[in-house]
Amino acid sequence: MTFASPQEWRFCVAPMIDWTDRHCRFFHRLLTRRARLYTEMVTAPAIRHGDPRRLLAFSGAEQPVAVQLGGSDPAELAEAARIAEGFGYVEVNLNVGCPSDRVQSGRFGACLMAEPLLVARCVAAMKAAVSVPVTVKCRLGIDDQDIEASLDAFVAAVRDAGADLVIVHARKAWLHGLSPKENREIPPLDYGRVHRLKQAFPRLPIVINGGIGSLDEALVQLAHVDGVMLGRAAYQRPGLLAEVDGRLFGEADPQSDPVTAVEAYAEYAAAMHAGGVPLHHLTRPLLGLFHGAPGARLWRRMLSVDAQRPGASTRLLHEALSMVTAAARSDAA
């Protein structure tokens, strides 16, 4: 079996519901040309029975971007994957990691780790329907599973079904007794288990996810696996993305710096706002951009509070940026 080049997944920004929408992805792409970006999870039934354009449309400027699907019906997932490929996504990822009650009730997400043969049928159906890579994002296991035996068996099943790559959140998911938020924080991280998984499947690209908070930590992980995926750190401190191309891909010229990224994003935001997108939806991905820098608190207040005031426009971005750069100059003097 031939797998896609792991270099394409060397650094990824995790799919996060209510966070990694198209505006967030557009902004992240202004900071890094090499990171692989992911949509929020979209369910296969929603695509099949709803408005695919509303759910899947995105700007070509976001590429390379992958769509994450949720579902457990092979035929339905195959159809959703085919539709998503038609919109131009470069990868279809199957969510086998989300632990929320709502996801469990729809029989998808982390609960599917108990059904590796069903997941394998889903992967095989999607592979038959599309020409782009089909990948799986999972946990170490669920509830009382033995993560040594069960994880290897799960990954072997999806590999044999044709999965091009597996992304592993290095925590168990507890489907009973923990909330989705608690499942992101309480189950202990076990990076060593993911490293052993890579050793057991040397030819299958493996990406590690969970609790990685900096590019220094990412570089440590890359000694053991093919790629790293950052979630909350990339969203809450997007400025780190401006260093990804240089530090992780060896590119001499950065995509941009945070200031020029904001200036470019302001043009995009103006067009989106004119089309009816609320301003605070557009400013939300930028809130943590200047985390830890002079003026960061004022920047965050202007983009979160002032953006919701009647009559606010995208001029606010330029005003807030002027405040931050002035604060930086003052601090340096």
Side-chain angles (χ1 to χ4, degrees):
M1 182 181 296
T2 301
F3 299 106
S5 169
Q7 189 74 1
E8 298 177 34
W9 287 269
R10 184 170 171 82
F11 183 88
C12 312
V13 178
M16 293 175 283
I17 294 175
D18 296 329
W19 287 15
T20 51
D21 61 17
R22 61 185 302 183
H23 313 306
C24 174
R25 299 193 305 267
F26 189 95
F27 180 60
H28 284 179
R29 183 58 70 213
L30 291 171
L31 294 165
T32 167
R33 65 172 64 88
R34 297 299 300 273
R36 177 153 293 210
L37 306 180
Y38 285 77
T39 68
E40 305 168 87
M41 182 183 67
V42 187
T43 69
I47 294 172
R48 183 178 181 185
H49 302 295
D51 180 357
R53 179 160 295 278
R54 181 181 64 81
L55 296 168
L56 296 172
F58 68 101
S59 167
E62 299 169 35
Q63 291 285 25
V65 60
V67 62
Q68 186 182 68
L69 299 180
S72 60
D73 180 274
E76 198 166 50
L77 280 165
E79 177 66 6
R82 184 191 63 76
I83 293 170
E85 183 183 33
F87 277 85
Y89 289 99
V90 300
E91 171 194 342
V92 177
N93 176 261
L94 179 62
N95 184 323
V96 193
C98 182
S100 78
D101 292 340
R102 181 175 63 84
V103 167
Q104 290 181 60
S105 67
R107 201 185 174 208
F108 52 91
C111 64
L112 289 176
M113 293 205 71
E115 301 184 73
L117 296 182
L118 172 58
V119 177
R121 291 199 296 274
C122 292
V123 168
M126 289 188 289
K127 284 288 291 183
V130 300
S131 59
V132 297
V134 172
T135 65
V136 174
K137 187 172 188 292
C138 65
R139 293 278 187 131
L140 296 180
I142 55 172
D143 299 331
D144 294 321
Q145 281 184 331
D146 172 3
I147 63 171
E148 294 300 329
S150 64
L151 182 60
D152 277 6
F154 176 86
V155 170
V158 299
R159 177 205 58 189
D160 293 347
D164 293 280
L165 172 141
V166 176
I167 304 163
V168 185
H169 184 149
R171 286 186 173 95
K172 264 192 174 185
W174 289 92
L175 304 182
H176 306 288
L178 292 182
S179 69
K181 181 178 186 297
E182 290 170 331
N183 261 299
R184 292 193 298 268
E185 299 168 352
I186 293 177
L189 287 160
D190 189 348
Y191 295 139
R193 180 64 188 96
V194 185
H195 301 165
R196 293 194 298 278
L197 183 73
K198 177 59 188 176
Q199 292 168 2
F201 297 88
R203 295 181 58 242
L204 176 67
I206 301 290
V207 173
I208 196 167
N209 171 232
I212 302 168
S214 71
L215 298 190
D216 287 340
E217 294 174 42
L219 286 165
V220 170
Q221 292 297 331
L222 286 169
H224 304 281
V225 293
D226 301 291
V228 294
M229 175 177 276
L230 268 66
R232 285 171 290 170
Y235 186 89
Q236 294 169 350
R237 292 182 283 112
L240 65 81
L241 297 177
E243 301 179 32
V244 164
D245 296 358
R247 294 193 61 192
L248 271 67
F249 292 91
E251 296 193 354
D253 298 322
Q255 168 82 345
S256 69
D257 61 83
V259 171
T260 56
V262 173
E263 292 169 344
Y265 185 77
E267 298 181 17
Y268 166 85
M272 292 292 104
H273 188 48
V277 179
L279 183 59
H280 66 281
H281 288 180
L282 293 162
T283 58
R284 186 175 59 178
L286 284 66
L287 294 181
L289 180 62
F290 295 103
H291 177 83
R297 182 175 297 179
L298 177 60
W299 166 266
R300 191 176 185 91
R301 180 185 63 77
M302 291 181 72
L303 267 59
S304 59
V305 178
D306 295 354
Q308 299 190 60
R309 299 189 190 284
S313 74
T314 52
R315 288 194 302 273
L316 180 67
L317 280 168
H318 297 288
E319 294 166 3
L321 187 59
S322 295
M323 295 286 190
V324 169
T325 53
R329 288 194 299 268
S330 176
D331 186 71

